[in-house]
Amino acid sequence: MTPTITAFENSPDRGKGLARDMRVRWAFEEVGQPYDVRLVSFRGLKGAEHRARNPFGQIPTYEEGDLTLFESGSIVFHIAERDGGLLPNEPNARARAITWMFAALNTVEPPIFDRSLLRILDHDKPWFEQRLQALDKSIRRYLDDLSRHLGDSDWLDGAFSAGDLLMITVLRRLEGSDLLEVYPNISAYVVRGEARPAYQRAFAAQQAVFEAASAG
Ligand code: GTB
């Protein structure tokens, strides 16, 4: 059975692949699993039909037969478990790769995402600069540590894994900012991820949604 995911009908990122369906699309492409996409409007997200998929009324979700999932990390983990190829088989290496999935979503993503929201929603607030500096400090701290860990390696722990996939989607949000530029090895890591054919296919698929919405 082909799984169906949900994505924004009209993503505010204008096809930049920053919404969280991108990581799920990328995971499907890495494992070679075809998928269908149900596009949802902002209004539709908060309706009963979508809330039955995700109580928080957000994308992405995953449906396959009688299984419905939400949370991008959980969905990527499910794809990795179901289809293989995104997590090592050796138990300790697998546990470490899963640890990197959590590190991406629980440690690195929160200040990066909060920074994006702050710049979009609160740029006119009197406390904007102070909050921005606090978030930048927190992000730099994690980037310092990540850069030290990564060193000259291609990926976080051996072969490319779901941990890298999530970490790269998180770091992409800093592209073009001076935060990422000062870490050449992290910048190269992100570019390396984006150069993967599976990433390219996933990016093109979500971009096509934006282009179709703009044309229509
Ligand atoms: N923890 C959940 C997960 O990982 O799945 C978070 C899901 C989430 O934040 N979904 C967002 C959503 O549905 C889309 S990705 N928001 C609508 C709502 O909450 O009502 C976040 C996002 C939104 C917009 C951009 N952008 O425009 O660049 C990027 C990312």
Side-chain angles (χ1 to χ4, degrees):
M1 184 174 283
T2 305
T4 298
I5 63 165
T6 51
F8 283 137
E9 185 178 79
N10 210 334
S11 182
D13 74 354
R14 305 179 60 77
K16 290 199 193 105
L18 293 173
R20 289 181 171 108
D21 59 298
M22 177 61 202
R23 53 188 63 164
V24 174
R25 292 173 182 272
W26 187 7
F28 276 133
E29 294 292 350
E30 287 286 348
V31 302
Q33 170 63 52
Y35 61 99
D36 292 327
V37 183
R38 189 196 315 277
L39 299 176
V40 188
S41 66
F42 281 100
R43 191 191 168 106
L45 285 179
K46 307 306 171 200
E49 186 187 334
H50 189 71
R51 282 199 194 273
R53 298 181 197 113
N54 180 342
F56 301 114
Q58 296 186 313
I59 61 100
T61 59
Y62 173 106
E63 293 156 84
E64 189 197 12
D66 56 7
L67 175 66
T68 302
L69 297 173
F70 60 97
E71 285 298 326
S72 57
S74 163
I75 298 169
V76 169
F77 182 59
H78 179 71
I79 295 168
E81 293 258 272
R82 177 189 182 274
D83 297 302
L86 274 174
L87 287 172
N89 290 326
E90 195 278 314
N92 286 357
R94 189 178 186 90
R96 288 197 305 273
I98 293 168
T99 299
W100 279 113
M101 295 177 71
F102 278 87
L105 302 184
N106 278 4
T107 300
V108 182
E109 182 162 57
I112 292 179
F113 193 71
D114 286 353
R115 182 181 194 270
S116 295
L117 284 186
L118 179 80
R119 294 181 72 214
I120 296 166
L121 301 176
D122 296 319
H123 54 87
D124 54 350
K125 303 287 191 312
W127 39 263
F128 171 77
E129 271 306 326
Q130 201 178 0
R131 177 75 181 134
L132 185 66
Q133 280 179 24
L135 286 171
D136 283 1
K137 187 175 172 195
S138 172
I139 293 167
R140 278 197 193 93
R141 177 218 157 159
Y142 291 130
L143 293 182
D144 274 350
D145 295 339
L146 195 63
S147 175
R148 199 172 310 112
H149 170 84
L150 191 60
D152 294 333
S153 304
D154 280 355
W155 309 115
L156 291 168
D157 190 333
F160 178 83
S161 78
D164 294 295
L165 185 152
L166 291 178
M167 188 66 82
I168 289 164
T169 59
V170 165
L171 295 169
R172 278 197 65 230
R173 210 162 248 293
L174 295 176
E175 274 177 333
S177 77
D178 50 2
L179 285 165
L180 207 55
E181 276 169 12
V182 293
Y183 301 96
N185 65 338
I186 301 184
S187 300
Y189 169 65
V190 173
V191 169
R192 200 174 297 125
E194 291 172 336
R196 292 176 72 86
Y199 174 95
Q200 298 282 327
R201 289 193 295 273
F203 187 88
Q206 64 76 37
Q207 195 176 38
V209 174
F210 169 71
E211 276 161 17
S214 312

